[in-house]
Amino acid sequence: MKSFHPPQRTLMGPGPSDVHPRILEAMSRPTIGHLDPAFVAMMDELKSLLQYAFQTENVMTMPVSAPGSAGMECCFVNLVEPGEKVVVCINGVFGGRMKENVERCGAIPVVVEDAWGSAVDPQKVEDALRAHPDARIVAFVHAETSTGACSDVKTLVEIAHRHDCLTIVDAVTALGGIPLYVGEWQIDAIYSGTQKCLSCTPGLSPVSFSERAVAKIRQRERKVQSWFLDLNLVMGYWGGGKRAYHHTAPINALYALHEALLILQEEGLENAWARHRHHHEALKAGLEAMGLSFVVRESERLPQLNAVRIPDGVDDATVRQRLLSDYQLEIGAGLGEMAGKVWRIGLMGHACNARNVLLCLNALDDVLGSLGAPIESGRAVAAARSVLHPGS
Ligand SMILES: *Cc1c(COP(=O)(O)O)cnc(C)c1O
């Protein structure tokens, strides 16, 4: 055996996305103790950088030392008590996982279903809350990565609050890619991931909790069933003041997140959101010129996750295999009921740039053309260029 040297790929799937070289460099800096004063000072900066990224002043804002799925679990195990009713919106894979979490907390899910590829319908949430006035929490996904649909967080949170419910929001793919205002929208609990629009290495989950959520966690009747994710304990390490050992923090991974958030702050959140939108428009122009169609209607589409239908007679796996072998390009397959029917093309974080848009369109045009797929060959790049460089 030898040291592992991964191939150099371009990552345009549903995550992980290409990691910025500055972040990889930050990760390779010397490991220090997790209670070293220098490290603790870095943790404080990390918290304020996360507050900026989430647009919140929530004191309980920090990264969970595990991937997005653990952030999801952290929100549910802390906020949901056995026997409670939780309205769970399902319009793709990740809403389904929320339901699993509710059940495993010993609580009762009230499911609000929408078709895969659609946003969550606020009217259905309103109806569910009227039918179940004893519901305590509403949970939904902002950016549903399995389909590319974006739900209206502000409206859904308003409805939940009108019915005296707290809200749990999945922002794993949303954070850094589309407008998200945790404070202004009064989201109670939110979790994200590092490997999507933050372009950081996978394995951490930024979370943030409102004062109302913290109050509920403090007043729980029973202990949180997960020792590792119990925020009452985690805050002994991440909270202000004297820090106590809880678990050994993933030191170098936290350097990476610090660097990723610094890059985001240097660019500016609004600029990052605009960059995602702009390159999505270019990619969309190219894909549509090629004759490919989007799964999600335009008004509900995420810029950072483009789900397109696979043309008739084209073998999904063959195309993705050729993109990987000939172009070192990874795009995503369909998940669940969309497996084999769609491709998910990510434009996330550092990978969201003109070079990648043109690379992806060129590569798809070539591979699909060579397989005799029913596409309009030779048009995509020009269509994208006209968006990237209008008027030239
Ligand atoms: C990727 C993703 C997750 C899970 O994150 P992991 O880091 O893979 O555990 C959860 N929700 C959404 C919407 C995602 O896109």
Side-chain angles (χ1 to χ4, degrees), residues 67-70 72 94 97 141 143-145 170 172-173 191 195-196:
S69 305
M72 178 187 284
F94 294 101
R97 289 192 182 177
V141 179
E144 184 42 91
T145 322
D170 178 321
V172 176
T173 286
Y191 59 93
Q195 78 278 27
K196 313 236 173 165

Side-chain angles (χ1 to χ4, degrees), residues 12 273-292 294 298 301-304 306 308 345-347 351-362 364-365 379-390:
M12 297 181 72
W273 298 336
R275 176 169 52 80
H276 282 88
R277 165 96 8 229
H278 177 60
H279 291 95
H280 158 76
E281 293 294 343
L283 182 70
K284 164 180 166 268
L287 292 170
E288 288 180 343
M290 206 185 287
L292 298 180
F294 276 77
E298 191 152 6
R301 225 174 260 168
L302 290 168
Q304 67 272 49
N306 298 266
V308 290
I345 305 174
L347 276 177
C352 177
N353 60 56
R355 188 197 78 112
N356 283 358
V357 168
L358 297 174
L359 167 75
C360 180
L361 292 171
N362 253 315
L364 270 176
D365 194 303
R379 294 188 180 177
V381 167
R385 269 191 210 292
S386 67
V387 175
L388 292 169
H389 311 289

Side-chain angles (χ1 to χ4, degrees), residues 173-191:
T173 286
L175 187 66
I178 44 173
L180 171 62
Y181 299 95
V182 173
E184 196 183 310
W185 294 348
Q186 299 188 32
I187 295 166
D188 298 291
I190 191 160
Y191 59 93

